[in-house]
Amino acid sequence: MHWSDVMAQRLAQRGDKHIVATGITPSGEFHIGHLREILTGDMIARAARRAGMDAELVFVVDNADPLRKVYPFLDESYEAFIGHQLGSIPAPNDEGKPDWDRFNNEGWSYGDHFLQPFLEALRQIGVVPRLLPNLEAYQDGKFSKAAKIACDNPAAIREIIERVSGRELADDWFPWQPLDSKGSLDGLTITGYDYPLVHWTDCHGESGSSNIEKGEGKLPWRLDWPAKWGFNHITCEPFGKDHGAAGGSYDTGKEIALLFGHEPPAPLTYEWISLKGKGAMSSSSGNTVGPMEALRLVPPEILRFLVANSKPSKAIEFDTGMGLVNLADEYERLTARDFDAEMTEENLSRRKLVQLEDAKVALALSSVDEQDVASSTSISFRHMALLAQIKPKDEDVWTSLRDSGSLTEPTPQLKDRLKRMRAWIASEHFPEDMRVNICTAPDKEAIQALTDEQRLVLLHLNQTLVEADWTTDGITAAFKAAGEAAEVGMRDVYRACYALFMATERGPRLAPILSNCERGAILELTQASTGA
RNA sequence: GGGCCUGUAGCUCAGUCAGGUAGAGCGUCGGACUUUUAAUCCGAUGGUCGCGGGUUCGAACCCCGUCGGGCCCGCCA
């Protein structure tokens, strides 16, 4: 059974109405690791709906979290905002400096700045969750009930955290973090509690009171999380493995949730996505591929497939090079198969059946449109990569595909794919192995590997190419003429040509490529080969 | 120190929850197609399931141990 169905089955035992939560702190540029969080939630919700339940996906924006440090992309003036909540400080402008104008006029915050592009990426990938901004939830008093229970029972909370996490809390620890005189959550000392006020002194020598019902502070993360489960009625939540560890925040959270008076959600721990060869994705180190960048290169359904086809417990290595080609081609091949028919075959082993089922579900989950079943484009990623390189104009690509009978009219999906393909080819991520490279000088080794007859072809080619019309047909005719003159078959002609032009034994059809190359350079290359 | 995830074919991984003859895709090799847009089709190839014990008629799967990789137990998803 596919992992999303396993999860749906678990949910079915709890009830038939579900809210699947995801949550991210908008502290910096979002990356595809965050995409796994959202897509995992999205796929669970889809699986639940497929199983006949009512399921909604929500996205908690943790903009009540404080700025932890001055990241490399920030101006040092952000030093003053450390400890301040992400939803209440200005966004960085192009130079990394606080953009006060937008903040004052439009209320454009640090959190908004990083959230917006991510939401756009989500839309493209077919995920439109209900947003739950956390800072606003505090200000609206949604945390009041849980905050009161926590502040009324600090000993009980402390006991849970210390026992479950095995960590000792400071003597002056209190289950509420007030905002200080400057708006920071750091460096305060709690001096007393009088519902609904938490009294404090800060590091500036000021003192004051924080109303826990009005968002004048927040719950520490280990309480904040279970509190949200309650008033948002969360029944399921996938989260990164950091939260899933024994003694981690889910473990303490599920006990604290009971204290707050509700059941913890069904958990699902997922592994990180790392960048192939570059280690874990991290916003602060700049070692990221942003969702927008990824989507510029990769069709959304392929990105979905990557997540759908990997069990959550498996770490994913995101490879923007050959790995992507293989992934996309596997996806293409799967769309062309008829799983229902294959599953009715006799003598299917249980193992094989499981494999077919999982592939079928993963494919369905990869579709950007939930109602839509992925249709086969019957054009492999490889092939498209080749055409995009050979044909600078889109129309020529479609003509070529029409001629080979693989298409009548390009669908919007295909046009979209070609657009992304061109971006990919132009980027640093495009693998060298896939690049069509025409030699600038004869490759001696490749030419020496030819037979005498084949080398003879090159000699004649020198002549026939000079006389050729510089078009696909003209060049093809020149190849043929050279073969006839050398009295060898076309197989030898092509062997010789690939050795000369690409230093390979085989390759894509040469004539169309050469017709797009500069004639003089090719003739020069041919001439030089006869001396080699 | 405590815990979680992970190790299966050259590669990417299924299969472990319900023990019953080791699976898929890619790759590689061969053949076909009398020029193949790195194509397509067909066929073949391929694994002491990290290692050692135990339970069992039977273990990739359950139990114990051990080694390697990743990670968590800090108010950092």
Side-chain angles (χ1 to χ4, degrees):
Chain A
M1 209 189 313
H2 189 265
W3 58 263
S4 65
D5 292 327
V6 172
M7 208 57 206
Q9 204 173 56
R10 206 170 300 163
L11 291 184
Q13 290 167 1
R14 294 174 62 122
D16 57 7
K17 193 170 181 322
H18 293 278
I19 296 184
V20 181
T22 59
I24 300 170
T25 305
S27 58
E29 186 100 34
F30 283 61
H31 52 67
I32 51 170
H34 294 123
L35 221 42
R36 189 175 203 177
E37 161 106 10
I38 304 284
L39 284 176
T40 303
D42 177 58
M43 288 170 188
I44 293 170
R46 282 196 188 184
R49 284 194 286 267
R50 213 172 43 237
M53 289 173 263
D54 184 357
E56 184 191 19
L57 179 71
V58 298
F59 174 10
V60 177
V61 182
D62 281 315
N63 59 347
D65 290 358
L67 183 70
R68 282 271 139 247
K69 61 178 182 180
V70 180
Y71 299 107
F73 50 84
L74 295 175
D75 184 76
E76 55 189 31
S77 54
Y78 270 93
E79 188 77 40
F81 294 124
I82 288 181
H84 292 232
Q85 294 176 295
L86 300 172
S88 57
I89 58 176
N93 61 18
D94 293 344
E95 295 167 352
K97 295 192 165 120
D99 189 342
W100 282 109
D101 281 352
R102 266 194 105 180
F103 183 68
N104 291 328
N105 297 331
E106 303 167 36
W108 186 252
S109 73
Y110 187 103
D112 297 328
H113 174 79
F114 291 107
L115 179 65
Q116 278 316 310
F118 185 63
L119 293 181
E120 167 57 22
L122 288 185
R123 199 190 53 73
Q124 282 190 37
I125 209 164
V127 184
V128 186
R130 177 156 60 91
L131 293 184
L132 298 171
N134 215 36
L135 186 62
E136 285 77 352
Y138 274 103
Q139 288 162 353
D140 293 345
K142 290 187 178 158
F143 280 90
S144 300
K145 182 181 158 225
K148 181 170 190 299
I149 293 171
C151 293
D152 286 349
N153 303 282
I157 301 280
R158 171 189 289 270
E159 190 278 326
I160 292 172
I161 294 179
E162 292 194 331
R163 171 172 47 80
V164 177
S165 77
R167 135 186 165 238
E168 212 168 304
L169 296 172
D171 290 342
D172 61 353
W173 184 87
F174 192 75
W176 179 259
Q177 300 174 273
L179 287 167
D180 73 5
S181 57
K182 303 247 157 106
S184 170
L185 295 163
D186 293 345
L188 288 95
T189 308
I190 307 298
T191 55
Y193 166 63
D194 240 326
Y195 174 79
L197 300 176
V198 174
H199 307 297
W200 50 263
T201 59
D202 68 14
C203 56
H204 310 291
E206 304 281 336
S207 62
S209 301
S210 165
N211 187 327
I212 63 172
E213 302 195 328
K214 295 194 172 157
E216 295 169 358
K218 76 181 286 281
L219 290 168
W221 164 247
R222 281 181 187 257
L223 294 121
D224 174 287
W225 199 23
K228 296 188 279 215
W229 292 339
F231 65 80
N232 287 322
H233 310 289
I234 306 302
T235 56
C236 174
E237 179 157 357
F239 45 81
K241 60 179 176 180
D242 49 345
H243 292 311
S249 47
Y250 181 76
D251 266 6
T252 52
K254 64 186 179 196
E255 290 204 28
I256 293 170
L258 295 175
L259 193 72
F260 286 163
H262 53 264
E263 287 291 317
L268 178 65
T269 310
Y270 63 85
E271 256 281 358
W272 306 108
I273 295 186
S274 64
L275 222 44
K276 171 113 180 154
K278 290 188 184 168
M281 197 91 44
S282 155
S283 303
S284 49
S285 68
N287 179 24
T288 67
V289 169
M292 290 310 286
E293 189 186 356
L295 277 168
R296 212 164 52 82
L297 319 172
V298 189
E301 61 274 18
I302 306 292
L303 226 38
R304 291 189 66 106
F305 180 64
L306 178 67
V307 173
N309 199 39
S310 312
K311 288 197 304 187
S313 63
K314 283 280 185 188
I316 293 178
E317 270 203 0
F318 189 64
D319 176 3
T320 52
M322 281 313 285
L324 177 57
V325 179
N326 293 330
L327 180 74
D329 281 349
E330 187 183 351
Y331 173 83
E332 249 350 282
R333 277 190 300 271
L334 288 179
T335 57
R337 287 170 62 175
D338 183 348
F339 290 106
D340 292 326
E342 288 182 47
M343 279 189 276
T344 58
E345 275 171 33
E346 280 180 42
N347 301 326
L348 262 188
S349 64
R350 179 178 140 226
R351 202 167 280 165
K352 185 91 190 257
L353 191 66
V354 166
Q355 226 152 22
L356 288 171
E357 271 172 8
D358 283 0
K360 184 186 167 187
V361 174
L363 199 59
L365 289 173
S366 303
S367 177
V368 171
D369 180 350
E370 185 173 0
Q371 310 306 329
D372 210 31
V373 185
S375 56
S376 170
T377 63
S378 75
I379 295 156
S380 76
F381 221 62
R382 276 196 153 76
H383 193 171
M384 185 72 107
L386 209 71
L387 289 177
Q389 287 181 84
I390 298 165
K391 316 274 187 189
K393 282 183 156 152
D394 287 6
E395 200 36 56
D396 293 341
V397 172
W398 309 134
T399 305
S400 167
L401 286 171
R402 274 190 210 102
D403 291 349
S404 62
S406 33
L407 131 121
T408 47
E409 271 313 304
T411 60
Q413 187 200 16
L414 262 182
K415 287 183 177 170
D416 185 70
R417 216 175 257 199
L418 179 58
K419 191 179 90 198
R420 291 180 214 267
M421 179 61 75
R422 292 203 189 280
W424 186 41
I425 291 167
S427 80
E428 53 174 327
H429 302 293
F430 192 72
E432 276 311 306
D433 289 355
M434 293 285 294
R435 236 177 249 287
V436 174
N437 278 320
I438 299 298
C439 297
T440 49
D443 186 285
K444 284 194 179 136
E445 231 172 276
I447 290 174
Q448 257 154 28
L450 298 173
T451 62
D452 288 344
E453 288 84 20
Q454 288 165 348
R455 267 195 297 274
L456 188 60
V457 173
L458 295 181
L459 204 63
H460 291 287
L461 196 62
N462 197 17
Q463 189 60 42
T464 59
L465 269 183
V466 168
E467 294 161 0
D469 243 8
W470 210 247
T471 60
T472 298
D473 287 347
I475 293 168
T476 306
F479 285 166
K480 208 170 257 179
E484 283 162 11
E487 298 181 332
V488 298
M490 289 312 286
R491 177 169 280 207
D492 287 321
V493 174
Y494 279 98
R495 272 300 290 273
C497 288
Y498 284 117
L500 171 61
F501 296 117
M502 299 185 70
T504 55
E505 290 186 11
R506 43 204 327 228
R509 193 176 276 189
L510 270 172
I513 299 174
L514 294 185
S515 70
N516 278 317
C517 292
E518 201 206 328
R519 181 181 184 175
I522 297 301
L523 293 181
E524 218 169 281
L525 177 65
T526 318
Q527 205 141 38
S529 74
T530 49

